[in-house]
Amino acid sequence: MIIKKIHCLLWHIWLMSDFFTTAAIIRIFTRDKVKRRQRYLKNNSRISKQFINAFNIKLTVKHIENLKQLQKISYLAVSNHTTYLDIIILASLENFVFITSVEMRGIPFLGKITRNGGCLYTNRKKYVSLPQEIDKFSAAILHGFKVMLFPEGTSTNGITVQPFHKSLFQIALEAKCPVLPICIKYKTIDGEIVQNENRDRIAWYGKMNFLLHYLKLIGHKLEAEVEILEPNPYQENKSRQELCDAVYRQILKCYQK
């Protein structure tokens, strides 16, 4: 196992070097902010596809046709959130712009990844800034981006899908765009079914130390499943609470199957 971990670590270091080098080139040679973010996202997707292999993840994607039917339009995507692996998996499927917290921006290394990955930031503790954030996020959709939201507010232990925060569903109403629900499930680790006893090997949440969790995780073999659920079309008379509740029910039902 130690040899496997060392091999994985070296592979990951190589991929991160590639990621940061390419992002630096993009930043230097792309002045237009929209084009820069587009190129950042393509870089994210390219590297994430390689990280799927580097993390030894066997990935199954169900109902990919629901993703493909929205390929030529921008929208708000919504997913449950258990671990940093979610971001790698989702980025490997589409050039998503991820919404993350302003606290993440300040974390060493992880903050640098978010800055070089074209992320958008939200301040969940400062509600007075919410209208401006909604305007900014909906503007990103209107500029042609596919924006990814984790409405649980943070990563969780993965036992169930936590209730969604409704506020940022206003993004879809402002942008008049569809909402695409996505459900991520981790099925096995080293052939063992993921359950409460071994769930924390994958789930990263609360005050868990990122580096220690990461070092324990690498070298293992994972099986993950992503189900692309039926898109929710924009409806003029639908409130953000109704939209939030509808999407939550879709993802929870899928997660509990």
Side-chain angles (χ1 to χ4, degrees), residues 13-29:
I13 290 171
W14 170 261
L15 290 176
M16 288 311 305
S17 299
D18 184 351
F19 170 77
F20 284 125
T21 300
T22 304
I25 293 170
I26 292 169
R27 186 167 57 253
I28 292 169
F29 291 101

Side-chain angles (χ1 to χ4, degrees), residues 19-24 26-27 39-41 43-44 111-119 121:
F19 170 77
F20 284 125
T21 300
T22 304
I26 292 169
R27 186 167 57 253
R39 290 170 183 174
Y40 277 157
L41 301 182
N43 187 39
N44 293 350
K112 188 175 182 180
I113 290 176
T114 65
R115 291 191 297 274
N116 285 271
C119 289
Y121 297 97

Side-chain angles (χ1 to χ4, degrees), residues 15 22 90 177 223:
L15 290 176
T22 304
L90 292 168
C177 70
E223 183 181 358

